[in-house]
Each structure stands twice: as structure tokens, then as C-alpha cells.
Amino acid sequence: MQTHLLVPHPANPPLAVIAVEARFGVVGPWLQLRWRVEGAGKVMLPPFTGRRRADNLWRTTCCELFMHTKGAAGYTEFNFSPSESWAAYAFRGWRESAGNHPVSHDPAITPRPGRNLLIVDVALPLADLPPLPAALSLNMVIEEAGSTLSYWAMAHGDPDKPDFHHPACFAAHLAPPETP
């Protein structure tokens, strides 16, 4: 598993969250993802909806995965809500929508809120990913009490406003799984 510390965008500091860690790895036919939030006592969690596709999940606490296949012009965005709703979008180029990205199975999203810790685990079938190898961007939008929003990424490309679509955010890499 690769582990990355996410950093908040300086234009939108968190209220009480002190650290966000994201990690990923391939386990069998699945991409396993985990976001771990320390200082989560004031994090606002959306109400439970069950596993279903939904839009605008990024407007509140939401985990995100962006993938850019090596040599491709476009990229894919996945949103995973602690409500267990999810979304997947395809882009032809920077913020140039190509509609929904097809997904064969609902991602398995398991939120584990604690008193001052939030963990969100996600399992996504490798078959639903764009072709590998790919550059990855692991991000998180966090809403805390009083509608305070902070935007966490492995790297930020625009110092003035958060933009998870920015190429600088794609700071990790996922290779195709090794075949025995």
C-alpha cells in the first residue's frame, strides 16, 4: 500500500482537522483506498443514503480519486461519500466533461467515524478503472461545523484556489497488477 499525507489548500484552512492520510493498493481484483482524518471531532458527515450513484457529493465531506492514464488526454474522477453514495465522471481534457464514467459494480464504501478520528475505506473493482499505468490524485473535501470547507490533496497547483483537476495534484502512480 502507498501512503500519502494530504495537505490543506492554504486559501481554505481547516477548523479542527489536524491531518489527513490517504493510501491505496491493489488487492486481488480490487483497488483498495483509505482516507484517515485526525482531529475529526467537528467533521460534518452527510446522512446515510446507501450505495448509489449521486452528483454533487463534493459539496460536503467527500473522498476523491482522480486517475490519468499515461498518454491519454482525458482523466477520470471518482467521488466517495461517507453516506455510501458515489460518482464517477470521465473528462476529455481539463474540466472538459465526457459524462459519467461507466462502473459495473457500486464501490464498497465503509465509513468509520469515531470521536476524533474518521476512516473511510473504499474498494473499487480494477475492471472499472481507466487503463493502467495511471497517475493518481487522492483528495478530500472536509466540511466541519459552521460550514467550514477545507480541501486536502497530495499537492496543490493553484495557490489562490483549490482545484483537484490541476495536473500538479496527480502526484502518485498506479502500475498494472503483476500477473503470476
Side-chain angles (χ1 to χ4, degrees):
M1 298 285 270
Q2 289 189 41
T3 302
H4 298 270
L5 291 177
L6 306 186
V7 294
H9 192 276
N12 300 85
L15 182 64
V17 171
I18 55 173
V20 177
E21 177 185 278
R23 68 182 190 181
F24 69 93
V26 174
V27 179
W30 300 92
L31 177 62
Q32 299 283 336
L33 304 152
R34 171 174 278 184
W35 285 264
R36 186 177 189 279
V37 180
E38 293 181 37
K42 295 181 187 268
V43 171
M44 306 300 293
L45 296 177
F48 174 76
T49 60
R51 292 183 190 169
R52 66 181 182 90
R53 187 184 281 261
D55 292 320
N56 299 314
L57 299 174
W58 51 269
R59 293 183 184 265
T60 186
T61 302
C62 179
C63 303
E64 299 190 2
L65 163 68
F66 284 70
M67 296 184 70
H68 175 259
T69 297
K70 184 177 179 180
Y75 57 95
T76 306
E77 173 185 355
F78 295 92
N79 299 161
F80 309 108
S81 172
S83 72
E84 295 190 16
S85 288
W86 59 273
Y89 305 103
F91 292 87
R92 285 185 281 278
W94 186 75
R95 291 194 174 269
E96 185 183 341
S97 177
N100 286 335
H101 175 76
V103 174
S104 64
H105 295 86
D106 290 340
I109 303 167
T110 307
R112 288 190 244 157
R115 198 162 96 186
N116 210 25
L117 180 70
L118 169 65
I119 295 174
V120 179
D121 287 321
V122 175
L124 186 62
L126 289 176
D128 290 342
L129 301 179
L132 302 178
L136 296 184
S137 174
L138 295 166
N139 314 299
M140 190 166 185
V141 176
I142 297 178
E143 181 179 6
E144 294 181 87
S147 299
T148 299
L149 290 171
S150 57
Y151 302 89
W152 298 73
M154 293 185 297
H156 293 281
D158 184 338
D160 298 323
K161 64 179 182 167
D163 181 3
F164 295 153
H165 296 254
H166 194 284
C169 293
F170 292 79
H173 298 278
L174 180 61
E178 293 181 17
T179 53

